[in-house]
Amino acid sequence: MRAATLALLLAAALPAAASAGVIQPVSVSKSANVPAGETRSLTLACPARAVALNAAATSSLDATDSIPGANARRWTFRFTAGATAREASAVLRCVRLQLPRRVRGVGLAVGTIIEPVFEVPAGSTQRLAIRCPRGELPTGWGLEHRGANSGLAIAGAVPSRRAWTFTVENTGASGAAGTLHVRCLERKQRAATGQRHAFSTRIASFSEQLDGAGTTIRSCRRSEYSVATGVALPAGDDILMTGTGPIGARGGEWTFAQPAGSAAVRTSIVCLARDTSFRR
């Protein structure tokens, strides 16, 4: 069973050099203090006429939930603090169009595919492939837990041209369930004045040999904007991903923890081309 939501925003003319690409990436950061033993929501919003493509927690306090909003501009996190108050923070990746002169009437549309994660037994994994509809590009994702003390964690989030493939692991002591959300961006736009535009993404993949805990940073090309990060951890290994997300204008970051030994992991970045234009 799956559900989909769709949101549409109209683009407006923005000042831009004649030689610049029409895509304007926007990154929004926000933080909040979470009192000891409490759960707080943190909602980030893209600026006017921009749509949200992906979001990631950036604090050492893990996000309990990551949920794309029904509103095309918003994304909500929930954080739960332990015995002491902690700071929570997150980053939202947005995009809007800089319309050239004589281009009018363009809308940006994003949708969210909602897929339930049925109960995963303790110590087990569940694999789910979530595909965007034809004509849409997968850009981001989020995991929402069901119930308190859920042990669900992402052991794999692998992007492809039309989908994300997830490996969800239950690290808790009892069965756990939840919901996966995948954000999709409508690839092509047609202006009321007749011109056409199309977004283009590329997936950059890397192999990493890890020895113990560490941080890895990779980058998209200079003409690209990093939208989301993916990972594939080896099955049966004790390595954990403790955080991941886009950084800077075109980078991606992953942090790992491993008690002992070494392991090979696969990391990936979804890169959005910025040097596109409207054509007749």
Side-chain angles (χ1 to χ4, degrees), residues 58-116:
T58 55
S59 58
S60 58
L61 180 61
D62 291 336
T64 307
D65 297 298
S66 170
I67 309 169
N71 181 305
R73 295 170 51 201
R74 299 183 184 277
W75 203 292
T76 296
F77 289 90
R78 284 195 283 265
F79 294 87
T80 302
T84 59
R86 299 279 298 279
E87 184 180 71
S89 62
V91 62
L92 179 65
R93 304 296 259 193
C94 315
V95 72
R96 61 184 175 183
L97 294 176
Q98 303 177 111
L99 300 186
R101 286 183 296 177
R102 296 185 295 275
V103 176
R104 295 289 184 273
V106 180
L108 285 182
V110 292
T112 304
I113 306 298
I114 303 168
E115 184 81 27

Side-chain angles (χ1 to χ4, degrees), residues 14 49 77 115 134 146 150 158 168-169 185 198 213 243 258:
L14 299 171
R49 299 178 298 278
F77 289 90
E115 184 81 27
R134 185 176 298 277
R146 192 178 305 162
S150 171
V158 180
V168 183
E169 180 181 12
L185 170 68
Q258 187 177 28

